[in-house]
Amino acid sequence: MTENRHDALGLSNEDVLEMYKTMLLARKIDERMWLLNRSGKIPFVISCQGQEASQVGAAFALNRDIDYVAPYYRDMGVVLTFGMTPTELMLSAFAKAEDPNSGGRQMPGHFGQKKNRILTGSSPVTTQLPHAVGVALAAKMENEKLVSFVTLGEGSSNQGDFHEGLNFAGVHKLPVITMVENNKYAISVPYDRQVASKNVSDRAIAYGMPGFTIDGNDPLAVYEAVKAARERAINGEGPTLIESVSYRLTAHSSDDDDRAYREREEVEEAKKKDSLFTFAAYLKETGVLTEEIEKALHDEVNRVINEATDYAENAPYAQPEDAMKYVYGK
Ligand SMILES: Cc1ncc(C[n+]2csc(CCOP(=O)(O)OP(=O)(O)O)c2C)c(N)n1
Ligand SMILES: [Mg+2]
């Protein structure tokens, strides 16, 4: 019998099943989006596949009633955990008027939903980081016991916003957790052509904060790291940099062909560590997930995604005049 690791983290069997279900939901929505894209129904997909464990493990460690998240485009697992629904994600994929992110005016993956404290992001990578630091500054100034959580890719950690934001957070000891989702590529560029240091987390020392590199295929490891970072932040001990290492299982986006720059063997090798399988195996070995529960989860997820797809496909587009809404203030 595999050792039960979730008990020690304060997670019940129901909690870890919920984590698994959210990871499965994210994966299956993503897979459906590729089918819809290839059949000409939606224009673009940017995948979470391979990063679900990082996203869901981290989001579960936050307080979903008070914390703020500034997710990046792959973070379907984060926004699902924070309350965005599969139907809302599909409305965004189909660019329909009811899309909560932008009313169908932005590309998919540009998440933003005020009621769930999901910050609106923009397309230049890493701009979300100073925004998240700003939320943490506001929380500190107003003495609110909450944290701000921001994610980005490892390639994006070379943007100026990363250094400026983290330095400011370190100087002012702000309650912000930065999680770099290192999926080993920035479009076609592999890690060793992007970053000179062994780990992205090595940079934390320069900003006066702790830095950790963790297994991003293990949702429990991610949960543990983010939970500890949250506690430090709430106790006034300041920010943390976490680098969660996994692998991008799909091409960069639906407009990219990754066969041009990486070997199939490498992708096949990475699939052996796919968290959807390894976490399911862990849950089975610890007696949490049975064949019966697994089948019921798959059936439910499929039903939810079918309903979300049908709803979004049949929903109305925005009115042309809505294109100018909220663009300029009055
Ligand atoms: C400032 C800026 N430069 C370039 C781009 C184009 N771009 C979009 S995603 C991307 C790759 C980012 O790689 P990484 O940060 O590792 O994230 P990943 O896509 O691998 O999750 C690039 C270069 C952009 N959106 N913004
Ligand atoms: Mg990357």
Side-chain angles (χ1 to χ4, degrees):
M1 196 89 163
T2 300
E3 180 202 353
N4 177 326
R5 293 166 50 222
H6 58 273
D7 258 1
L9 297 172
L11 289 166
S12 67
N13 289 354
E14 289 70 38
D15 292 334
V16 283
L17 265 184
E18 193 63 29
M19 280 169 99
Y20 175 66
K21 185 180 168 187
T22 312
M23 288 164 56
L24 185 67
L25 189 58
R27 172 67 58 94
K28 294 281 176 194
I29 294 173
D30 202 286
E31 287 177 351
R32 175 65 59 86
M33 286 178 174
W34 278 87
L35 292 177
L36 292 166
N37 173 265
R38 292 314 195 225
S39 55
K41 292 191 171 183
I42 64 172
F44 186 72
V45 187
I46 190 126
S47 275
C48 64
Q49 292 189 40
Q51 295 170 226
E52 296 91 341
S54 299
Q55 299 167 359
V56 173
F60 267 73
L62 300 171
N63 184 324
R64 285 175 258 169
D65 295 321
I66 55 172
D67 292 343
Y68 283 76
V69 292
Y72 91 116
Y73 44 84
R74 297 198 193 280
D75 276 326
M76 201 190 301
V78 172
V79 298
L80 278 172
T81 307
F82 263 70
M84 194 174 285
T85 66
T87 300
E88 288 171 333
L89 287 162
M90 278 296 176
L91 283 161
S92 169
F94 278 94
K96 296 297 178 76
E98 279 180 273
D99 155 35
N101 301 308
S102 71
R105 295 176 302 171
Q106 243 304 13
M107 291 170 81
H110 290 66
F111 304 114
Q113 194 174 33
K114 195 172 177 180
K115 72 171 181 183
N116 286 321
R117 295 168 321 290
I118 300 169
L119 261 65
T120 300
S122 73
S123 297
V125 295
T126 331
T127 44
Q128 70 275 21
L129 198 146
H131 298 167
V133 170
V135 170
L137 176 65
K140 186 173 181 181
M141 289 169 72
E142 293 177 11
N143 210 12
E144 289 201 43
K145 293 279 174 213
L146 57 83
V147 306
S148 164
F149 173 76
V150 60
T151 55
L152 63 152
E154 80 293 342
S156 304
S157 73
N158 302 309
Q159 284 288 122
D161 301 62
F162 182 82
H163 309 287
E164 294 164 30
L166 289 192
N167 188 57
F168 190 90
V171 167
H172 297 282
K173 281 199 170 309
L174 299 180
V176 57
I177 303 168
T178 301
M179 185 172 85
V180 173
E181 296 184 31
N182 181 351
N183 61 10
K184 314 256 176 81
Y185 283 88
I187 310 186
S188 58
V189 183
Y191 183 82
D192 64 359
R193 299 284 88 198
Q194 301 174 42
V195 184
S197 57
K198 182 160 178 284
N199 297 307
V200 175
S201 67
D202 292 343
R203 295 170 166 183
I205 192 169
Y207 311 122
M209 64 179 77
F212 303 98
T213 295
I214 56 169
D215 180 0
N217 289 315
D218 179 356
L220 298 180
V222 181
Y223 177 89
E224 187 174 16
V226 175
K227 191 93 184 158
R230 187 176 191 281
E231 254 169 58
R232 274 196 302 281
I234 291 291
N235 293 336
E237 293 167 44
T240 302
L241 175 62
I242 295 169
E243 174 188 16
S244 181
V245 184
S246 63
Y247 190 82
R248 197 191 73 207
L249 292 175
T250 64
H252 173 73
S253 75
S254 52
D255 292 347
D256 168 47
D257 183 353
D258 64 330
R259 289 172 300 186
Y261 55 83
R262 62 181 185 181
E263 300 296 333
R264 289 308 86 192
E265 293 74 33
E266 182 187 301
V267 181
E268 290 309 313
E269 200 51 37
K271 281 186 183 164
K272 292 182 187 159
K273 295 186 191 154
D274 183 348
S275 65
L276 266 297
F277 297 110
T278 56
F279 195 45
Y282 166 82
L283 294 175
K284 283 180 187 164
E285 285 157 16
T286 49
V288 178
L289 186 65
T290 59
E291 299 281 330
E292 209 181 349
I293 300 176
E294 191 175 32
K295 186 181 177 316
L297 282 181
H298 278 260
D299 287 350
E300 190 193 338
V301 162
N302 282 337
R303 181 184 54 76
V304 165
I305 296 173
N306 285 342
E307 283 174 15
T309 308
D310 287 346
Y311 183 90
E313 190 169 6
N314 293 312
Y317 285 107
Q319 298 298 316
E321 51 275 22
D322 290 350
M324 298 305 280
K325 256 191 188 169
Y326 317 122
V327 176
Y328 299 106
K330 282 191 193 147

